[in-house]
Amino acid sequence: MPLLDVHNLTTYFFTTGGLVKAVRGIDFAIGEGETLALVGESGCGKSMTALSLLRLVPEPGRIVDGEIFFAGEDLRLIPEDEMRRLRGNQIAMVFQEPMTSLNPVFRIGEQIGEVLRLHKGLDRQPALDAAIELLHRVGIPSPERRARDYPHHLSGGMRQRVVIAMALACDPRLLIADEPTTALDVTIQAQIMDLLMQLKEERRMATLLITHDLGVVAQAADRIAVMYNGLIMEQGAVTTIFTNPVHPYTQGLLGCIPRLGEKKKRLAVIEGPPPGSLDPAAPRSFLDNCPERFAPKRGQLPRLHEVEAGHWVRCWED
């Protein structure tokens, strides 16, 4: 049985401008020690999927349907106080901008220590000692000194390592990493991803990696779920998706990757308005222009079908 098993997850925003269907009924599962990458354009619903898993959808959003089974228990049905105990303890999240996760008026060691005091019941000094050890573990030099620093004293890469240390403080079974390398230079990106992969292997930690960087996916993920406008278009093993993409949207994403030796070749263009557009005058969506096998029919979208073992594509059955 997978550690995380999600069925028909549906999250809508009831705005004054209209109904925004951020997540439109998606299914996926992650086993222990496995990394699933959720990829797609900005605005396609990746981050809202993560917030839905944690029941942190902001107003006026609401989870309207679906099941979120974690270790066999549906997270939608448990009381809020129990959900608070799970967050940061068994399920942890690394947000895409570390400065929004760190309190600017508290020292780094105090913030990591607070997680340990809250979830593990440690006293102040043992929690601080454990925080210093975590800073050392994620590769921050002079951790004793850095534990006394404030967030603005650190570089972007070091702040991201602090956020990872906070997320891993309670040895979670599931880590949700939302664009963990955004706004970092290429060298630091590689270091952060190497760190996450190393910690995952050591701890047998399941990981949901949310990103639009297919290079990161190729390096770190076991499976990929390709998302467009709140729906999963294609899902399968990394090697399968990269070598044999079936859905036109997946092919379009892969066609957007610059390749060495092809400087004169134009990159692919994904047609249609941005995902989640409320403008009634907006052009037809990408799916409306797809070949008949993938396009909507009579207002209905095709379901996911298994085209080969473990490889699922949203298309009409042949």
Side-chain angles (χ1 to χ4, degrees), residues 140-141 146 154-163 188:
I140 290 185
R146 290 302 186 184
L154 307 182
S155 67
M158 291 181 72
R159 286 196 295 264
Q160 192 65 289
R161 289 173 185 267
V162 170
V163 171
I188 302 301

Side-chain angles (χ1 to χ4, degrees), residues 89-299:
N89 190 3
Q90 294 194 52
I91 306 174
M93 184 165 178
V94 175
F95 293 89
Q96 57 183 292
E97 175 44 63
M99 280 303 284
T100 64
S101 306
L102 298 171
N103 192 317
V105 301
F106 287 97
R107 301 177 191 273
I108 294 299
E110 294 173 345
Q111 296 190 53
I112 300 175
E114 180 65 19
V115 176
L116 293 161
R117 292 169 65 187
L118 177 64
H119 290 293
K120 296 298 184 184
L122 297 184
D123 292 332
R124 185 179 183 84
Q125 189 56 49
L128 180 58
D129 293 340
I132 292 170
E133 176 58 31
L134 281 164
L135 291 175
H136 172 73
R137 186 68 194 84
V138 298
I140 290 185
S142 306
E144 296 86 356
R145 179 168 60 87
R146 290 302 186 184
R148 298 191 295 271
D149 283 344
Y150 292 93
H152 67 272
H153 291 146
L154 307 182
S155 67
M158 291 181 72
R159 286 196 295 264
Q160 192 65 289
R161 289 173 185 267
V162 170
V163 171
I164 292 171
M166 291 178 67
L168 299 177
C170 296
D171 198 16
R173 300 178 66 185
L174 171 65
L175 177 68
I176 302 171
D178 187 1
E179 301 280 9
T181 59
T182 296
L184 302 178
D185 65 52
V186 174
T187 302
I188 302 301
Q189 283 184 19
Q191 292 175 1
I192 294 296
M193 289 313 303
D194 287 344
L195 172 63
L196 287 174
M197 291 170 64
Q198 179 184 353
L199 293 169
K200 184 199 81 166
E201 292 298 326
E202 290 176 0
R203 299 175 178 224
R204 289 284 299 161
M205 182 174 58
T207 306
L208 176 62
L209 175 62
I210 296 172
T211 183
H212 62 269
D213 189 332
L214 292 172
V216 168
V217 171
Q219 173 192 3
D222 300 302
R223 290 188 299 114
I224 307 176
V226 179
M227 198 168 185
Y228 171 76
N229 205 11
L231 292 163
I232 290 178
M233 297 289 111
E234 189 165 359
Q235 187 173 172
V238 167
T239 52
T240 299
I241 300 298
F242 273 81
T243 59
N244 184 32
V246 173
H247 198 281
Y249 183 72
T250 310
Q251 295 170 357
L253 280 183
L254 293 171
C256 293
I257 303 174
R259 290 173 171 81
L260 292 174
E262 298 183 1
K263 293 183 179 179
K264 295 182 180 180
K265 186 176 179 180
R266 289 180 62 86
L267 299 178
V269 175
I270 296 177
E271 303 291 346
S277 175
L278 282 173
D279 184 0
R284 286 153 58 91
S285 75
F286 178 88
L287 294 177
D288 290 318
N289 296 314
C290 278
E292 185 176 351
R293 183 186 178 196
F294 307 98
K297 292 181 181 178
R298 298 179 297 277

